[in-house]
Amino acid sequence: MRSRKYVRVAGFCAMLATGHLAALGQAQSSVTLVPGAPEVEYSKMIFGQFVEHFDNQVYGGIYDPGSKFADEDGFRTDVIEALKDIKTSIVRWPGGCFASTYHWLDGVGKERTPAYDKTWQVEDPNTFGTDEFVKWCRKVGCEPYICTNAGTGTPEEMSDWVEYCNLTVGKYGRMRMANGYPEPHNVKYWSVGNENWGAHELGARTVQEWGPLVRESAKLMRSVTKDAKLFAAATSDKNWTMPLLQAAGPYLDYVAIHGYWDPLFHVNNPAPYLECMMKTEAPELDIRRTIGILDEAGFGGGRIKIAYDEWNLRNWHHPWHGDLRRGFDLEARRKNDIAKTYTMADALFSACFLNACLRHSDVVDIACFAPVVNTRGPIFVHPDGIVKRTTYHVFWMYTNLLEDCMVPVSVAAERLALGDRSVGVLDVVLTADKERTRYACAIVNKDPAAERLVSLDFDGMGIKPKRKLRGMVLSGSSPDDFNEVGAEDRVVPRERDFAVKDGKVALPPHSLTVLFVE
Ligand code: AHR
């Protein structure tokens, strides 16, 4: 049992266990490393992405045979390189809502027939299909994750797709081989459906229909690939997910949850910085709710895991969707790519989201940012290059700078308030290597204007006190700073020294900092 000490901080008494890391705001914040807690090696699959046949995400995004950056397969090489740099681990495709009316057979073989995409109400040329997607994933170095059509499709169409990808026998396995792919694609990750709980989805299901449909689809898919990882469209609402688990739980590996917190479907008025900061604790509440449902249904402790297979601060703008009388609106779709939308608010919200996943890494196993390029993605693709939006740099920092294991911390931080709402001003995760010789601490300072002081207990980490620390900081000249064509590097991570005074380090306002302690 380690000894405990009591530390008086600016007029209040905080109890900090020895072996602690303490972060002190200007008055009363503390972050405490839980002594002796076991490290949990977290899943790198939370740094995944999502790409949908929506606007210019696929055609003119990741795939553009006419581009000067295209490789021999028509893939944008600058995009591939950027995704390798953020160690992209898994990518979900082809939707999203698009998946709910997509028929995969239209997108394989030598002759491709354009099809009318009923979801987004445009023609899809079908030149980018299953074989192209898997090949692209292999070039990126990530796992392909396919979302099947549980809207207008059938369980058999789903399992035929698994057969096409993974077998060397049967009608569809042989079809792939005849199409020029003698080796199986070995696609492990398969989801039954997309948002079939919602009235907006073409092929939406009732709660009574969903569980049995997922169960029968999963049985068929598993009969093709025994160890496939199977997901089903779910929510953090018990009324939907409990009956799903009761009917289909034994056949599933993941519940697929979606989260967008700035509702912009109908009106594209992105929330300003402080409003976004008020949303930073919502994902963790959602995760906790979902874990509660899994526990209650008897699938807790990671038996069924959570895949946040679409997430982003900001909803995509497509006002005609779910309101079919309104008609398609090309101009509205373009508003998703207004560069100034993607500020430090997006970056810090995303860091807080990833922190929430890391804190629940025993259950949250996969997350896919939605989408990977264009629309609201971390990479904006244009004919002459790419722009890495602020969110891209968050992925770069987490995948390149953090250590492999989570070390629990408990935080008692000051509140950042907006009207009668407030959130903790700091969001902190501490990572370490397995031997605990190196620590990397990611700290979000949500304060729009003020530095915050963080005090590190080197003693507790078994490390000699330092006079300075190295760190990497993502911030901007203001909370609203953003990158755009011609100004690609306004907001980029910058390495710098942090002076340590009385064990404390000053963190810049509206910033994400990773501090290295070894
Ligand atoms: O707004 C984009 C859509 O968001 C995706 O297609 C869907 O899955 C989600 O609701």
Side-chain angles (χ1 to χ4, degrees):
M1 182 79 171
R2 293 187 186 203
S3 64
R4 293 189 175 272
K5 65 185 175 194
Y6 293 84
V7 180
R8 181 164 285 281
V9 180
F12 89 126
C13 196
M15 186 184 77
L16 300 177
T18 303
H20 283 181
L21 171 151
L24 308 177
Q26 285 158 328
Q28 301 179 358
S29 298
S30 69
V31 179
T32 330
L33 187 138
V34 178
E39 304 82 7
V40 179
E41 192 164 351
Y42 59 85
S43 162
K44 304 291 189 304
M45 293 291 196
I46 63 167
F47 305 121
Q49 304 285 339
F50 165 63
V51 67
E52 174 157 1
H53 290 240
F54 177 89
D55 199 9
N56 51 3
Q57 293 177 28
V58 173
Y59 304 106
I62 64 172
Y63 179 70
D64 191 355
S67 163
K68 60 187 175 192
F69 298 104
D71 68 8
E72 66 287 0
D73 293 311
F75 304 146
R76 283 279 299 243
T77 51
D78 48 354
V79 172
I80 289 177
E81 286 313 309
L83 292 177
K84 281 183 178 170
D85 288 347
I86 55 171
K87 302 187 178 164
T88 302
S89 47
I90 186 167
V91 176
R92 177 176 180 255
W93 169 87
C97 301
F98 173 83
S100 290
T101 57
Y102 177 64
H103 297 290
W104 66 269
L105 270 168
D106 293 342
V108 297
K110 304 256 177 306
E111 300 303 320
R112 305 288 174 95
T113 315
Y116 180 64
D117 157 16
K118 297 187 185 70
T119 293
W120 302 125
Q121 301 173 27
V122 290
E123 187 178 79
D124 190 294
N126 269 319
T127 47
F128 187 96
T130 305
D131 300 321
E132 290 75 25
F133 172 62
V134 174
K135 197 185 246 189
W136 178 80
C137 286
R138 300 302 176 209
K139 288 189 178 185
V140 170
C142 65
E143 287 289 341
Y145 165 23
I146 292 181
C147 175
T148 63
N149 176 354
T152 61
T154 62
E156 189 160 40
E157 184 183 4
M158 297 176 206
S159 61
D160 291 346
W161 203 354
V162 182
E163 180 184 324
Y164 181 86
C165 288
N166 292 350
L167 296 193
T168 49
V169 295
K171 180 173 164 189
Y172 297 104
R174 287 178 189 278
M175 183 187 283
R176 185 203 64 249
M177 295 167 80
N179 285 344
Y181 298 89
E183 296 305 319
H185 286 326
N186 288 327
V187 176
K188 288 187 216 126
Y189 298 89
W190 293 90
S191 159
V192 180
N194 174 77
E195 295 188 358
N196 303 78
W197 39 262
H200 62 281
E201 196 74 3
L202 298 184
R205 304 288 165 169
T206 64
V207 71
Q208 293 80 9
E209 289 168 331
W210 188 234
L213 175 61
V214 169
R215 184 188 59 223
E216 296 312 306
S217 307
K219 280 162 63 183
L220 280 168
M221 291 160 89
R222 231 182 248 301
S223 74
V224 179
T225 299
K226 306 256 166 303
D227 57 354
K229 301 285 181 199
L230 299 182
F231 306 55
T235 74
S236 58
D237 180 349
K238 190 171 162 183
N239 293 326
W240 177 267
T241 297
M242 187 58 86
L244 163 67
L245 292 171
Q246 283 161 347
Y251 299 91
L252 295 176
D253 301 288
Y254 293 90
V255 284
I257 309 288
H258 292 178
Y260 297 91
W261 285 267
D262 188 14
L264 304 172
F265 284 139
H266 298 297
V267 185
N268 192 56
N269 57 344
Y273 178 83
L274 266 184
E275 187 62 46
C276 294
M277 292 305 99
M278 293 302 120
K279 301 171 189 293
T280 50
E281 293 178 349
E284 191 150 6
L285 293 177
D286 221 31
I287 290 171
R288 287 211 176 101
R289 257 196 307 272
T290 312
I291 290 175
I293 300 168
L294 290 170
D295 287 346
E296 197 180 326
F299 297 101
R303 160 60 192 87
I304 291 183
K305 297 199 173 194
I306 296 174
Y308 245 107
D309 64 6
E310 279 183 40
W311 72 274
N312 195 322
L313 166 62
R314 308 198 194 267
N315 266 142
W316 307 0
H317 182 56
H318 36 62
W320 71 98
H321 187 45
D323 183 3
L324 295 172
R325 285 173 196 276
R326 190 166 169 163
F328 173 71
D329 183 347
L330 182 64
E331 275 315 300
R333 215 171 57 166
R334 296 256 68 98
K335 289 184 185 164
N336 289 293
D337 274 317
I338 296 171
K340 69 176 184 201
T341 309
Y342 308 103
T343 66
M344 284 308 299
D346 300 72
L348 300 190
F349 178 89
S350 300
C352 292
F353 177 92
L354 292 172
N355 286 357
C357 294
L358 287 166
R359 280 192 282 272
H360 298 278
S361 51
D362 49 338
V363 182
V364 182
D365 200 54
I366 292 179
C368 304
F369 194 74
V372 64
V373 299
N374 295 334
T375 314
R376 305 215 183 272
I379 300 173
F380 175 66
V381 182
H382 60 93
D384 294 316
I386 61 174
V387 176
K388 294 171 178 170
R389 290 174 175 156
T390 56
T391 45
Y392 177 90
H393 298 297
V394 174
F395 282 105
W396 186 88
M397 290 171 76
Y398 275 65
T399 54
N400 287 280
L401 306 180
L402 297 189
E403 299 290 344
D404 288 342
C405 298
M406 277 295 292
V407 179
V409 285
S410 63
V411 180
E414 296 162 283
R415 309 290 293 173
L416 179 69
L418 179 63
D420 57 2
R421 290 171 296 161
S422 71
V423 289
V425 71
L426 303 179
D427 194 318
V428 184
V429 293
L430 183 65
T431 63
D433 63 340
K434 285 201 186 75
E435 295 73 36
R436 286 207 186 184
T437 53
R438 288 193 311 271
Y439 291 85
C441 188
I443 309 176
V444 177
N445 177 9
K446 304 175 199 173
D447 194 312
E451 281 187 340
R452 294 284 168 160
L453 292 179
V454 176
S455 133
L456 301 165
D457 186 342
F458 295 103
D459 193 31
M461 286 190 267
I463 284 164
K464 286 210 176 80
K466 312 265 173 192
R467 271 186 293 179
K468 64 179 183 197
L469 288 176
R470 287 303 284 167
M472 193 74 102
V473 181
L474 185 71
S475 189
S477 57
S478 87
D480 300 326
D481 223 354
F482 61 95
N483 297 329
E484 61 184 330
V485 179
E488 282 81 1
D489 293 335
R490 278 194 203 120
V491 184
V492 290
R494 298 183 204 279
E495 194 168 3
R496 49 164 278 204
D497 284 336
F498 287 82
V500 183
K501 289 195 192 117
D502 302 327
K504 293 182 193 124
V505 166
L507 296 174
H510 53 82
S511 67
L512 166 65
T513 301
V514 175
L515 290 174
F516 310 113
V517 188
E518 54 185 305

